[in-house]
Amino acid sequence: MNRVLKVALLCGLAVTVASCGTVRRALPFGLGGGDEPQATATAGARVSVLEFEQQLAPSAALSGREFFLPGPQPATAWTQPGGNAENAVEHVAAAADFAVAWRRDIGAGSAARRQVMSPVVADNGRVFVMDGEATVTAVDSGSGSVAWTVSVKPDEAEFRRSMFSLGLGGSSTGGGFGGGVAVGGGKVFISSGYRTITAVDQATGAVIWTTPVDVPVHGAPTVAGSRVYVVDVENQLFALDVNTGQQVWTYRGLPEPARIMRASSPAVTGDTVIAPFSSGELVALRAATGQAAWQQVLSRTSRTSALSEIRDIAGRPVVSRGVVYAVGHSGVMSAIDVRTGQPKWQLPISGVNAPLPAGDVVYVVSKSGELTVVNRESGQVYWTRDLNEGRERQEGGVFGWWDRTVRPIWSGPLLASGRLVLTNSYGELVAFDPKTGEQTATLKLGAPVYLAPAAYNGALYVLTDEGQLISIR
C-alpha cells in the first residue's frame, strides 16, 4: 500500500475513475492497491502507457566521445533537500566502502494516512529527519544516537478548533501528511501537512516560532539568507523571515489540484527564487519583493493519456552555472537561462526527480525508469539505460482482476565517490558507472525507499519508507 501512495495522484475530482484503465492505481490512501501498473488491452497486444513517451535517441555526433566529470569533493553540509539552496551538488566523496554503518528507527513509517516524504538534511555533526507523523529527529551523524526529537503534530482538539476557525470543520490530524526540513542559521525549519511552518533551535530542538498557514504544505522548505521559502498544495509560495516567521511576501501560481505524491522545493540563486508548481509553471521571482521575473511552462501541448495531464514539477529545479535544469511530469525537460528565462534546449522527458548536472553532462531519470545522460550545453543525448531491465515482476492485479507488470520506482541520482547512485521502491541502493551506465553494485536496504540519498561527512544517508535512517559508509 505504501508503494501506491508514493506515485498516487492527488487528483480529487480532477481525474475520474473512468479516465483510464490504470486509474485505480492512482487513487490516494491505498484504495487502488498494488505497484506500478501496466495498462491492459482486452484483445491483441498489451500496451504500456509509459511507452507513449517519445523515445530519446543518442546523438550520432556524440558517439564514442568522452565527457568530463569533476572529482569527488567533501560534503561538509547538506542543509537543504537538494544539498544547498541551488539544489546543485555535482560530485561528493561519500560511501567509499558502499556498506551499511548503522541503522536507526526514527518514528512512524508510511501507512494509509501518513507518508514519509521529507528528504534528509545534515549539518554540524547531526542528521535531521522527519517521520510520517511530523516528528523531527536529530541524529548524531557518526553514531546514530538520538540528540532530540520534536513533534509539530498538533493536539487533536486544538487542530479541530483551528480547522473550524478556518471554515474546515470535521478535519482531523489523521490526514496531515507531508512536509520537510531544512537547516540554516542555527535553526531547523519544519513545514508540515498540518498547516504550519516552525523553526526550532538546531542544538536543542526548542521551538522558536510557529507560523500557521491556510492549507497543507507537502514540500520541504528552502532557506537562503534571511528568508525561508515554502510552497503549499494550492501553489502559493511563502517567503517568511527566518528570525520571526513573519510573512514577507507571497506569490500565487495557477491552481492545479492534480499532483504527484512527491513534493518539490524552490531553488534560490543570488537574488532569484525559482519556484516549481503543480500547474507545470516554473517561475523566477525576486527574493526581496516576490515580483515575477519570468516563467516557463514545462508541459507538452499534446498528451496521450490521463497521466500525462498531470503537469506537476515534482522534482526540484537545479541551478548550475547560470542555468536552471528542471523536468515536469507531463513530458518536458528544459535548460533555462536564469537571467533571461529563455530555454537553451528542451527534451521530451517526463520525470519526478531532480536532474543532476555534473561536469559536461546532466543526468536525469524518467518516470518510466530510463536513465539519460545529456550534454549540458547542447541537450544532445550521450546514452540511455533502462534501469528496470531485469527488475520487472509479474503480479496479480487488484482483486485478481488482471495480471500486471510491476516496475520499481526510482529516486535520485547522486554522484558519490565515482558511483552514480539511486534508490528504488524494491529497497535497493544501486550504483552505476557514471560514464557507461553499467551497474556496479547493489545494496539491499530492507524496505522500500522513495527519497534520494543525502551525503554528509563521508557517508550517504537514506530514509526508508518504514521510517528507518540508514548510514552507508
Side-chain angles (χ1 to χ4, degrees):
M1 178 171 57
N2 292 338
R3 294 179 184 172
V4 177
L5 292 168
K6 292 305 176 183
V7 293
L9 312 176
L10 295 185
C11 297
L13 297 179
V15 178
T16 67
V17 173
S19 61
C20 74
T22 60
V23 76
R24 187 178 302 278
R25 174 73 169 83
L27 295 175
F29 306 123
L31 297 179
D35 283 282
E36 192 77 17
Q38 187 177 52
T40 302
T42 56
R46 295 172 181 262
V47 180
S48 170
V49 296
L50 301 177
E51 294 172 358
F52 282 115
E53 292 184 24
Q54 182 177 339
Q55 296 298 308
L56 294 173
S59 168
L62 298 180
S63 178
R65 288 181 55 182
E66 282 286 320
F67 53 82
F68 167 76
L69 291 175
Q73 300 297 316
T76 57
W78 196 275
T79 58
Q80 318 283 341
N84 53 41
E86 292 184 330
N87 297 322
V89 178
E90 292 201 14
H91 191 178
V92 294
D97 295 334
F98 211 66
V100 173
W102 52 258
R103 299 171 181 263
R104 170 67 62 181
D105 291 328
I106 55 90
S110 296
R113 303 196 67 189
R114 62 176 189 251
Q115 296 300 307
V116 175
M117 295 178 63
S118 172
V120 176
V121 299
D123 194 25
N124 289 333
R126 289 177 177 172
V127 180
F128 303 92
V129 286
M130 175 187 276
D131 74 355
E133 291 189 334
T135 293
V136 175
T137 302
V139 178
D140 183 271
S141 63
S143 65
S145 62
V146 174
W148 52 258
T149 63
V150 62
S151 175
V152 297
K153 181 178 179 178
D155 173 78
E156 181 73 32
E158 176 187 348
F159 188 75
R160 286 184 179 274
R161 284 194 297 271
S162 66
M163 292 301 97
F164 273 113
S165 70
L166 294 172
L168 300 171
S171 297
S172 73
T173 59
F177 62 89
V181 293
V183 182
K187 302 179 182 68
V188 179
F189 300 93
I190 308 166
S191 59
S192 83
Y194 296 109
R195 299 173 171 87
T196 59
I197 304 161
T198 302
V200 304
D201 185 88
Q202 183 178 333
T204 66
V207 174
I208 299 172
W209 52 257
T210 297
T211 298
V213 292
D214 291 340
V215 296
V217 178
H218 286 175
T222 300
V223 185
S226 62
R227 305 280 191 268
V228 55
Y229 304 94
V230 292
V231 178
D232 68 22
V233 298
E234 291 186 355
N235 287 340
Q236 184 169 209
L237 170 66
F238 295 88
L240 306 179
D241 184 276
V242 296
N243 295 313
T244 66
Q246 292 183 338
Q247 179 178 302
V248 180
W249 53 259
T250 64
Y251 175 87
R252 186 177 292 277
L254 293 174
E256 176 56 72
R259 60 178 62 240
I260 306 299
M261 189 71 81
R262 292 197 187 199
S264 189
S265 302
V268 182
T269 179
D271 64 349
T272 303
V273 182
I274 310 295
F277 298 108
S278 65
S279 60
E281 293 177 288
L282 189 70
V283 183
L285 305 110
R286 301 305 177 199
T289 64
Q291 181 180 3
W294 54 259
Q295 72 174 45
Q296 289 287 339
V297 179
L298 304 188
S299 177
R300 290 184 295 185
T301 56
S302 61
R303 302 178 182 87
T304 55
S305 70
L307 292 179
S308 65
E309 289 288 341
I310 308 302
R311 300 173 176 87
D312 201 357
I313 304 175
R316 292 178 298 274
V318 178
V319 183
S320 177
R321 306 180 193 176
V323 177
V324 182
Y325 300 94
V327 58
H329 180 269
S330 69
V332 175
M333 177 183 176
S334 189
I336 302 168
D337 185 276
V338 169
R339 186 178 59 84
T340 66
Q342 293 301 309
K344 295 182 61 176
W345 49 259
Q346 290 187 333
L347 290 173
I349 298 175
S350 174
V352 296
N353 290 295
L356 171 62
D360 292 340
V361 299
V362 182
Y363 297 93
V364 63
V365 176
S366 75
K367 68 182 182 183
S368 58
E370 188 172 69
L371 172 65
T372 301
V373 184
V374 182
N375 181 283
R376 75 152 73 209
E377 295 299 326
S378 66
Q380 293 175 300
V381 174
Y382 279 93
W383 50 259
T384 62
R385 175 186 170 88
D386 182 6
L387 300 178
N388 294 328
E389 184 178 356
R391 286 185 167 87
E392 293 183 342
R393 302 173 181 171
Q394 296 295 323
E395 294 184 1
V398 179
F399 306 123
W401 288 350
W402 61 77
D403 293 333
R404 66 243 169 93
T405 300
V406 176
R407 302 175 179 89
I409 301 159
W410 293 88
S411 300
L414 176 67
L415 187 58
S417 294
R419 301 182 182 99
L420 196 66
V421 295
L422 298 100
T423 59
N424 66 35
S425 58
Y426 285 0
E428 299 173 324
L429 182 69
V430 187
F432 299 90
D433 186 300
K435 289 294 186 71
T436 67
E438 179 185 359
Q439 183 174 322
T440 58
T442 301
L443 190 61
K444 298 290 187 180
L445 301 176
V449 179
Y450 298 94
L451 300 169
Y456 178 63
N457 279 356
L460 293 178
Y461 294 91
V462 174
L463 182 60
T464 76
D465 203 46
E466 294 180 355
Q468 187 175 74
L469 178 65
I470 303 174
S471 173
I472 300 155
R473 292 281 176 178

